[in-house]
Amino acid sequence: MTNSLVPPAGPQRTLALAQLTNAVGDGAYYVTSALYFTHVVGLAPARVGLGLTLAWAVGSLVGVPLGRLADRRGPRGTAVLLALATGLAVASFLVVRGFVPFVIAACAYASAQSGLAAARQALLAGLVSAGERTGLLAHLQSTLNAGLAVGAGLGGLALRAGTRSAYLGVFALDAVSFLVCAGLLARLPSVRRAQARKADALGVLRDRPYVVVTLLNTVLLLRMPLLSLGLPLWIAERTDAPTWLVSALFVLNTGAVMVFQVRTARGVTGLASATRAVRRSGWVMLAACAVFALSAGASPWVAVGALVVGAVLQVAAEMGQSAGSWQLSFDLAPADRVGEYQGFFGTGVTVARTMGPLVLTSLLLEWGTPGWLLLGGATLVASYAMGPAARRAAGRAAEADEAIRPPALVS
């Protein structure tokens, strides 16, 4: 794998372009949606929060069956259809005028997004060799951050204008971005469908070792709302650092991922290197939490220094954990059920985004320094538990792959 920010030509670059396209639209959507729903649609902030929580809860539930659909019907066609469905769901926000239609549209959006993520992972697994997947995912993560940054800038222009037309333009942009994404995905080669298995309502839930790996990864992902919620509140409530530092730390994180995620993933090539990467990230995250805690009660510039150092450590932990978890999520899934397993693994992101704000605000704002250390300690414990859990899951995955392998011909 190269250090280039641009993946090799062919399917890998097409996947990156599809990621970049809808990331630009999503970036604009993320920075404007809350104000659109409250100021333009007229919903109360509490109702917006409730509606989105319900939507992502539904999305987490349908991710697995939609991933299973990608395995059975083909990931390319499923991904194209779900990209179109996501664009249609975003477009429906343009005509939403009440709480119930908002919840219905949000559920459609979250469901299509969750299914699209699973289908794209299954498509990636079918197009790219096992040894190249983590490297490509690193490229896609860098591309995602670049697209979100561009989209956030466009969304900022809409916020500056503050008009209904500007907000509607953002939603139209996001809807069109998914149409373009669908067109790019349709250009990719077709991937062979998985062999049909006897229907099992529980599916991936029967694979207890993989469920444990997913739960441990969810604990590691609780740091996701740290940059958008935990640190801004910590800086404002517990330190004397200037509030503009929130934006600077966001830029630092985004830029670091864009530049260094591919390089960080270079050494992750299998189960052993993936678990080592996750384990190292646990120690780095513990160090980041300890440094963040030092910013409380310090002079403004000492607090700024501690927060910057902590942010550097945090993004290093994030990139290592991401690379390791990507490798594990694919290596531990049976070859004929990648979409279903990726749909389940992806629920960790939804759970972290749902529970993370409550966990972080309780730990950091109410407990202070002990809360930071508890967060770092929980991350370290989960990162060390990942090793034995992954080894057990690998044995289960090997048994599943052996079961679907055709018998050898006897002469």
Side-chain angles (χ1 to χ4, degrees):
M1 182 176 63
T2 68
N3 289 331
S4 172
L5 296 179
V6 180
Q12 296 193 36
R13 188 168 297 175
T14 302
L15 283 168
L17 287 174
Q19 179 84 299
L20 177 65
T21 299
N22 67 253
V24 171
D26 276 347
Y29 167 83
Y30 291 150
V31 300
T32 59
S33 58
L35 291 179
Y36 171 77
F37 293 130
T38 54
H39 292 181
V40 177
V41 178
L43 299 175
R47 285 200 146 197
V48 173
L50 174 62
L52 292 177
T53 299
L54 290 173
W56 285 110
V58 172
S60 67
L61 292 176
V62 303
V64 172
L66 288 176
R68 188 180 299 166
L69 178 67
D71 292 330
R72 298 296 174 263
R73 299 300 180 185
R76 185 187 66 176
T78 305
V80 170
L81 289 176
L82 288 171
L84 293 173
T86 307
L88 182 61
V90 173
S92 70
F93 285 131
L94 296 171
V95 296
V96 163
R97 296 295 181 269
F99 178 67
V100 173
F102 162 69
V103 172
I104 294 173
C107 287
Y109 172 76
S111 299
Q113 280 272 46
S114 297
L116 176 59
R120 288 168 89 164
Q121 296 292 69
L123 181 58
L124 181 152
L127 294 174
V128 180
S129 67
E132 296 177 306
R133 290 171 188 167
T134 297
L136 176 56
L137 284 166
H139 279 298
L140 295 180
Q141 186 69 14
S142 298
T143 302
L144 173 67
N145 276 32
L148 291 175
V150 173
L154 296 175
L157 295 177
L159 291 175
R160 182 177 178 83
T163 64
R164 177 186 179 86
S165 298
Y167 285 117
L168 295 180
V170 166
F171 279 78
L173 170 67
D174 197 19
V176 171
S177 76
F178 279 98
L179 298 182
V180 177
C181 172
L184 289 169
L185 293 174
R187 293 171 52 191
L188 291 167
S190 179
V191 173
R192 181 175 60 88
R193 301 176 186 179
Q195 297 178 2
R197 286 193 183 192
K198 183 180 179 180
D200 186 347
L202 293 179
V204 63
L205 295 178
R206 291 192 183 278
D207 191 342
R208 294 180 181 177
Y210 195 89
V211 171
V212 172
V213 169
T214 301
L215 291 175
L216 291 173
N217 190 62
T218 302
V219 174
L220 299 177
L221 290 174
L222 289 175
R223 47 86 183 156
M224 290 186 67
L226 189 61
L227 201 64
S228 60
L229 180 69
L231 276 175
L233 292 177
W234 173 261
I235 290 172
E237 301 290 335
R238 291 297 195 107
T239 78
D240 292 324
T243 55
W244 55 258
L245 187 63
V246 172
S247 176
L249 295 182
F250 183 87
V251 172
L252 170 65
N253 181 278
T254 303
V257 172
M258 287 173 56
V259 176
F260 296 110
Q261 181 67 80
V262 174
R263 182 176 300 177
T264 302
R266 290 179 66 191
V268 179
T269 57
L271 182 65
S273 57
T275 54
R276 283 196 302 270
V278 172
R279 193 162 54 243
R280 284 195 301 267
S281 74
W283 282 109
V284 178
M285 189 63 192
L286 176 60
C289 290
V291 173
F292 280 137
L294 295 176
S295 62
S299 65
W301 290 110
V302 171
V304 168
L307 290 165
V308 170
V309 172
V312 171
L313 292 170
Q314 186 268 328
V315 73
E318 173 187 335
M319 291 187 291
Q321 185 266 326
S322 295
S325 67
W326 293 332
Q327 187 76 33
L328 294 175
S329 70
F330 280 108
D331 284 1
L332 301 178
D336 65 329
R337 300 171 69 186
V338 174
E340 178 184 351
Y341 272 59
Q342 286 296 318
F344 180 72
F345 197 80
T347 61
V349 174
T350 305
V351 173
R353 284 177 173 167
T354 303
M355 295 181 55
L358 177 61
V359 172
L360 291 182
T361 52
S362 299
L363 286 179
L364 306 185
L365 298 185
E366 295 182 17
W367 290 25
T369 297
W372 277 112
L373 297 179
L374 182 58
L375 176 63
T379 301
L380 182 63
V381 170
S383 69
Y384 264 79
M386 188 67 83
R391 286 191 290 272
R392 286 194 293 271
R396 177 67 179 260
E399 292 175 3
D401 285 342
E402 185 68 27
I404 65 171
R405 189 174 301 160
L409 296 177
V410 179
S411 58

